[in-house]
Amino acid sequence: MIDTVTLYVEGRKNAGFDINEKEFKKKQNEQDKTNLLYNTFYEDKERRNKSIYICNNLDLNFALVDFSVPKLLYGNSLENVRIEDTEKIEGILKNRLNGIFDTDFLNTKVSRLDITQNMEMENDIPIYIHSLKEAYSGNKRYRVEKYSDESLTIKNNSRRIVIYDKIKEAFDNKDITRQEAKAYSNILRYEIQHKKARNIKTSFNNKKQFVLTDVFTMEFFETAKLFQLKMFDEMFCNSGNYGLFMSDIALMDIVTKYNKRGTLKNFVIKKLTDLYEHEHNFEHYEDLLKLSGMSRDGIRKAKRELRKLLLLSKGKMTDVIEEIRNKLVA
């Protein structure tokens, strides 16, 4: 339910937080004065895992602490965060950052928050990505930023909605090995990113800015789940644009079961016949086949196969949009 979190720590060294400057890289301004301390801290430097990024703006007197909750808890973000595990986060932060950076983490303001859900799907991930792109309502306040077989990104100035192949992403980022990736099924990731505190407040109708302990409650998890569903319905379930796509999936499914040889040709014949209510003239076809030199048995077989194809009715295939929605509701 939660992934990336950025904490905004107000103050400066010894007033709001303690920082060991020796552990940080330094950035200097035009007057050669250090104005930024920054570094990424790993549990294992060689594996570069379970990262925590910290930067301290010396001019504006604040620090940012950025991390992935599931990666700190489980080593990767393939699991959905369980509410009972969130109580471990404070201890992990304090232990990992001991002698490096210390503050009251649980009562620190949240300036970035990604709400996520990993869903195990029945079909290959591109099918869901394609169907979601077809279903997208074209909300005027949002625009499609990225679209491929593996991912769909829709964004505006307040939030970013990303739906993608989580296994491929985890492998590409070296969070898991190729062998580990084979152990997983098809995982579709649904992610809503908020990169500013005011946008978090807007999404969840909160009058005050969240602190970390606010998002580690069952109440917030339930609120976040409802928000995910609300956004999904708004983006993908109102326009009905995916009806044709779903009809084609059903038709392709039944044509493939009929005969895998010439699948695309059979699909096109059946699709166009249904679409334009075309009446086939088998006597004309027979004359053409005779002129082409086909044998009597060949002509009989060709006509029989075409009749069987045209008699196929569209089978009912699971509506992939509904499958995603059902998993969000569960």
Side-chain angles (χ1 to χ4, degrees):
M1 188 55 65
I2 295 173
D3 197 318
T4 302
V5 170
T6 300
L7 302 179
Y8 177 87
V9 191
E10 295 176 286
R12 58 188 184 277
K13 183 178 179 180
N14 299 322
F17 55 85
D18 292 324
I19 188 169
N20 183 352
E21 295 186 14
K22 295 178 182 179
E23 297 286 340
F24 289 80
K25 300 173 184 178
K26 297 178 174 62
K27 183 178 179 182
Q28 296 179 317
N29 59 21
E30 295 177 353
Q31 289 75 40
D32 291 330
K33 180 182 177 182
T34 299
N35 62 352
L36 191 71
L37 303 173
Y38 66 97
N39 209 345
T40 302
F41 302 93
Y42 301 96
E43 184 178 70
D44 185 326
K45 288 185 179 180
E46 291 186 6
R47 294 181 61 194
R48 298 172 68 85
N49 67 338
K50 299 187 178 183
S51 65
I52 303 173
Y53 173 77
I54 302 175
C55 72
N56 176 203
N57 188 313
L58 300 175
D59 289 340
L60 299 179
N61 293 324
F62 72 85
L64 298 176
V65 182
D66 183 270
F67 55 91
S68 163
V69 174
K71 287 183 180 180
L72 292 191
L73 290 172
Y74 314 122
N76 60 57
S77 55
L78 290 166
E79 291 192 52
N80 293 315
V81 173
R82 297 180 289 275
I83 184 65
E84 61 268 22
D85 292 336
T86 57
E87 62 187 24
K88 302 172 186 176
I89 287 294
E90 182 185 24
I92 292 172
L93 292 173
K94 285 186 174 296
N95 290 334
R96 289 276 311 282
L97 300 177
N98 184 35
I100 298 172
F101 185 92
D102 184 59
T103 190
D104 182 4
F105 293 106
L106 287 182
N107 291 301
T108 298
K109 293 178 180 179
V110 176
S111 63
R112 173 178 174 171
L113 183 62
D114 292 355
I115 304 301
T116 64
Q117 187 76 0
N118 295 321
M119 297 170 283
E120 186 174 333
M121 311 308 292
E122 297 177 8
N123 301 291
D124 292 336
I125 296 304
I127 290 177
Y128 300 95
I129 301 298
H130 296 163
S131 65
L132 288 167
K133 176 60 169 61
E134 292 291 330
Y136 174 52
S137 62
N139 190 306
K140 293 181 180 179
R141 295 185 297 115
Y142 291 82
R143 65 180 176 86
V144 175
E145 180 184 53
K146 179 182 176 183
Y147 171 58
S148 69
D149 284 349
E150 291 83 26
S151 68
L152 172 64
T153 301
I154 300 169
K155 64 171 289 187
N156 67 2
N157 293 330
S158 300
R159 59 183 72 94
R160 197 163 175 258
I161 300 167
V162 191
I163 305 175
Y164 58 96
D165 186 332
K166 184 59 184 175
I167 302 303
K168 185 178 186 305
E169 185 261 358
F171 173 73
D172 289 346
N173 290 342
K174 300 181 180 179
D175 292 334
I176 57 174
T177 64
R178 187 179 298 278
Q179 194 62 36
E180 289 171 332
K182 291 179 180 178
Y184 289 93
S185 57
N186 302 314
I187 304 294
L188 183 69
R189 167 81 151 207
Y190 175 43
E191 186 170 303
I192 304 176
Q193 302 173 354
H194 302 86
K195 296 191 177 183
K196 294 181 180 179
R198 66 172 178 268
N199 299 331
I200 301 171
K201 291 170 64 176
T202 300
S203 287
F204 300 105
N205 298 316
N206 208 54
K207 293 181 180 180
K208 67 179 182 68
Q209 188 171 346
F210 283 109
V211 297
L212 187 58
T213 191
D214 291 329
V215 301
F216 287 165
T217 65
M218 182 59 72
E219 181 183 4
F220 180 79
F221 270 50
E222 292 173 351
T223 299
K225 187 173 183 178
L226 290 173
F227 175 72
Q228 279 189 320
L229 186 61
K230 173 179 173 290
M231 289 302 301
F232 186 83
D233 284 346
E234 181 179 326
M235 292 293 164
F236 305 110
C237 294
N238 290 336
S239 66
N241 291 337
Y242 67 97
L244 180 60
F245 181 79
M246 292 310 307
S247 177
D248 284 349
I249 287 180
L251 180 56
M252 181 60 79
D253 184 49
I254 199 69
V255 167
T256 303
K257 289 176 180 176
Y258 159 68
N259 187 352
K260 283 187 170 62
R261 180 179 294 178
T263 298
L264 182 58
K265 176 186 67 178
N266 291 337
F267 168 80
V268 171
I269 292 170
K270 176 63 174 165
K271 171 73 176 178
L272 295 179
T273 298
D274 292 348
L275 185 62
Y276 296 106
E277 299 180 348
H278 179 71
E279 294 292 335
H280 291 271
N281 186 334
F282 282 86
E283 289 184 0
H284 181 57
Y285 295 161
E286 184 172 343
D287 290 340
L288 291 173
L289 292 173
K290 284 178 181 177
L291 289 172
S292 73
M294 184 177 286
S295 68
R296 188 179 298 276
D297 286 342
I299 293 172
R300 187 182 302 112
K301 181 179 179 181
K303 289 166 60 179
R304 183 172 66 247
E305 288 183 351
L306 179 57
R307 282 195 173 96
K308 286 176 65 177
L309 174 63
L310 298 176
L311 287 172
L312 294 176
S313 60
K314 293 178 184 178
K316 181 172 176 57
M317 185 176 180
T318 302
D319 184 328
V320 292
I321 301 294
E322 193 63 25
E323 182 188 349
I324 299 171
R325 194 178 189 281
N326 287 339
K327 291 183 183 296
L328 290 173
V329 171

